[in-house]
């Protein structure tokens, strides 16, 4: 009985595999799908009758359509035999006996007899395995990263170590499909009906990539904030998705060789949030104050602060208070702020000189000056 079944299966399989087929992208794919098998369209709108062919044999003359944004990997007995990167329609041609088809001009007698005999030896199954897989050449979105606790890095601008909890996402691109399949994709995904998706939490390979990205965040922040071309400012990071992506990609490559070993590259990033630790927040406040008091704006701010102080001193301590504020403020040169050398506190001439300078600058009125003069001269 086994012999009869084997012969029947061998002949039936040969007959079914004579049909040319039409292979294309399966329906219902997620936008983040990276690798998946090309599927035959045995029927379309009720037409077509190629529904019994072997799942691992592609008949000569079959057409495979490669859409925009995808490449095509061809397999023979588990080995990659070809890669197509351009979109368009392609015809399958193989020297393998099981791919021969009378519809492709491979002959009638040799096709049936040789294939039937070979399949008979394998219990009715073809003794070969052929497959076509589509691989995405687009940017693959929604690859997320995040840290549960603070990560720390040396910051050139703050001149110290800073820490933060961060989360965001990045786009990933397969830049070398052959390396990607050979060195990363598990064999379980090289089967019909399987989809390799980087965002699938059940995908162990994708989980490993997530962990490697998290492990590279601190070096990436360090690379970015210590790059003079970026102004050494970590605060620019959320505005520079491509610049930080380059730093993150460089950190990942240095630690895990994504591009050279796996054919993968990080293209863009989106930082959703950065929550700095308490010490870093205090440092950033200090930097913000320093920024506000630097340059021409700093002079304006300081002059406004001194004027406010003089007003308060005048209200609280009269003209005498104004002298103290004037001496503490360092006085104003012509459009410039200087640190003065304070004269002896009891020198009435020095007090009058300071008061006259304040009068000339418009910081006190004539009546304030007269009051200070009378007090300094003991009148």
């Amino acid at each position: 009985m086994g012999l009869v079944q084997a012969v029947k299966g061998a002949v039936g399989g040969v007959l079914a595999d004579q049909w040319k087929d039409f292979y294309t992208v399966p329906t219902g794919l997620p936008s983040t799908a990276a690798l998946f098998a090309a599927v035959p369209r045995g029927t379309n709108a009720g037409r077509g009758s190629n529904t019994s062919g072997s799942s691992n044999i592609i008949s000569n003359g079959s057409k495979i359509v490669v859409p925009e944004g995808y490449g095509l990997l061809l397999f023979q007995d588990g080995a990659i035999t070809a890669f197509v990167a351009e979109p368009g329609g392609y015809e399958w041609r193989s020297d393998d006996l099981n791919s021969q088809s009378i519809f492709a001009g491979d002959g009638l007698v040799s096709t049936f007899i040789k294939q039937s005999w070979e399949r008979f030896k394998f219990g009715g199954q073809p003794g070969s395995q052929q497959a076509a897989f589509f691989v995405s050449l687009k940017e693959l979105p929604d690859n997320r990263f995040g840290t549960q606790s603070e990560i720390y890095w040396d910051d050139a601008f703050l001149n110290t170590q800073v820490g933060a909890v961060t989360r965001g996402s990045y786009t990933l691109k397969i830049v070398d499909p052959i390396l990607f399949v050979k060195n990363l994709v598990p064999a379980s995904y090289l089967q019909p009906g399987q989809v390799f998706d980087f965002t699938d939490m059940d995908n162990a390979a994708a989980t490993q990539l997530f962990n490697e990205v998290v492990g590279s965040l601190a070096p990436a922040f360090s690379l970015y904030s210590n790059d003079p071309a970026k102004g050494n400012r970590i605060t620019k990071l959320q505005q520079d998705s491509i610049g930080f992506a380059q730093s993150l990609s460089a950190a990942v490559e240095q630690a895990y060789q994504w591009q050279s070993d796996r054919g993968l590259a990080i293209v863009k990033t989106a930082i959703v949030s950065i929550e700095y630790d308490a010490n870093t927040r205090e440092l950033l406040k200090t930097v913000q104050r320093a920024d506000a008091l630097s340059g021409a704006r700093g002079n304006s701010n300081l002059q406004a602060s001194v004027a406010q102080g003089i007003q308060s001193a005048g209200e609280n301590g009269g003209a005498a208070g104004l002298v103290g504020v004037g001496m503490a403020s360092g006085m104003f040169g012509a459009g410039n702020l200087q640190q003065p050398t304070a004269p002896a506190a009891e020198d009435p001439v020095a007090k009058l000189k300071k008061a006259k300078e304040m009068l000339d600058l418009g910081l006190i009125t004539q009546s304030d000056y007269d009051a200070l003069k009378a007090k300094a001269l003991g009148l």
Side-chain angles (χ1 to χ4, degrees):
M1 179 63 74
L3 179 61
V4 174
Q5 289 179 342
V7 172
K8 180 180 178 181
V11 175
V14 169
L15 287 171
D17 289 338
Q18 296 304 303
W19 293 101
K20 293 182 181 181
D21 215 329
F22 185 82
Y23 287 79
T24 186
V25 175
T27 58
L29 281 173
S31 60
T32 51
L35 182 76
F36 46 88
V39 295
R41 298 296 185 187
T43 59
N44 188 355
R47 294 184 295 273
S49 53
N50 188 10
T51 59
S52 301
S54 301
S55 61
N56 59 341
I57 293 297
I58 303 175
S59 300
N60 281 343
S62 294
K63 189 173 184 179
I64 304 177
V65 176
V66 182
E68 289 282 359
Y70 292 91
L72 179 68
L73 284 165
L74 303 180
F75 290 78
Q76 175 74 42
D77 297 332
I80 298 175
T81 58
F83 172 68
V84 176
E86 296 296 326
Y90 295 86
E91 185 177 293
W92 175 273
R93 281 287 174 181
S94 173
D95 294 332
D96 189 272
L97 177 64
N98 294 281
S99 287
Q100 293 184 9
S101 169
I102 59 174
F103 300 118
D106 293 326
L108 177 61
V109 176
S110 61
T111 296
F112 276 108
I113 295 177
K114 290 181 179 179
Q115 286 190 29
S116 296
W117 173 243
E118 288 299 319
R119 297 190 186 199
F120 169 73
K121 292 189 292 185
F122 287 93
Q125 298 292 325
S128 298
Q129 186 183 53
Q130 299 165 338
F133 279 81
F134 290 113
V135 58
S136 178
L137 303 180
K138 305 177 182 181
E139 287 184 43
L140 298 168
D142 204 31
N143 300 282
R144 303 183 182 186
F145 62 82
T147 60
Q148 295 182 344
S149 58
E150 288 86 356
I151 57 173
Y152 293 90
W153 67 92
D154 292 328
D155 189 282
F157 181 74
L158 297 177
N159 197 32
T160 187
Q161 188 181 71
V162 300
V165 175
T166 184
R167 61 188 180 92
S169 64
Y170 61 93
T171 63
L172 193 60
K173 191 168 185 179
I174 301 170
V175 295
D176 191 325
I178 295 177
L179 280 179
F180 169 65
V181 171
K182 283 188 173 183
N183 295 339
L184 182 66
V185 178
S188 59
Y189 287 95
L190 299 177
Q191 303 291 334
Q194 296 296 314
V195 176
F196 186 98
D197 189 336
F198 290 108
T199 65
D200 183 3
M201 297 308 295
D202 294 327
N203 184 339
T207 301
Q208 177 63 28
L209 295 179
F210 168 84
N211 292 333
E212 291 176 3
V213 168
V214 171
S216 302
L217 285 174
F221 282 134
S222 182
L223 283 173
Y224 189 91
S225 63
N226 289 286
D227 183 357
K230 304 292 190 303
N232 299 123
R233 290 298 187 99
I234 197 65
T235 51
K236 292 183 178 180
L237 184 147
Q238 289 176 281
Q239 308 166 15
D240 188 8
S241 62
I242 295 179
F244 180 66
Q246 293 171 346
S247 297
L248 182 57
S249 185
V252 168
E253 180 66 18
Q254 182 176 358
Y256 303 105
Q257 294 77 51
W258 273 24
Q259 188 161 336
S260 56
D261 285 356
R262 297 167 175 170
L264 297 173
I266 293 173
V267 182
K268 296 183 181 70
T269 58
I271 305 297
V272 177
S273 68
I274 301 178
E275 301 174 8
Y276 296 103
D277 64 8
N279 291 336
T280 303
R281 288 196 298 270
E282 288 300 318
L283 283 172
L284 288 174
K285 287 180 182 178
T286 303
V287 170
Q288 288 174 342
R289 294 190 190 100
D291 286 346
L293 295 176
S294 63
R297 178 179 294 180
N299 286 343
S300 299
N301 288 342
L302 188 54
Q303 288 177 17
S305 298
V306 171
Q308 180 65 35
I310 290 171
Q311 181 179 352
S312 299
E315 293 174 352
N316 297 328
L322 293 174
V323 174
V325 171
M327 294 170 63
S329 67
M331 304 316 299
F332 298 105
N336 193 17
L337 295 174
Q338 300 177 354
Q339 182 68 32
T341 301
E346 298 301 322
D347 187 350
V349 176
K351 287 185 178 182
L352 286 174
K353 183 178 178 182
K354 292 294 183 184
K356 184 62 168 64
E357 289 178 357
M358 293 172 69
L359 176 64
D360 293 340
L361 288 171
L363 298 177
I364 61 175
T365 64
Q366 182 64 48
S367 58
D368 291 330
Y369 173 76
D370 293 339
L372 289 170
K373 178 178 179 181
K375 183 176 181 63
L377 295 178
L379 299 175

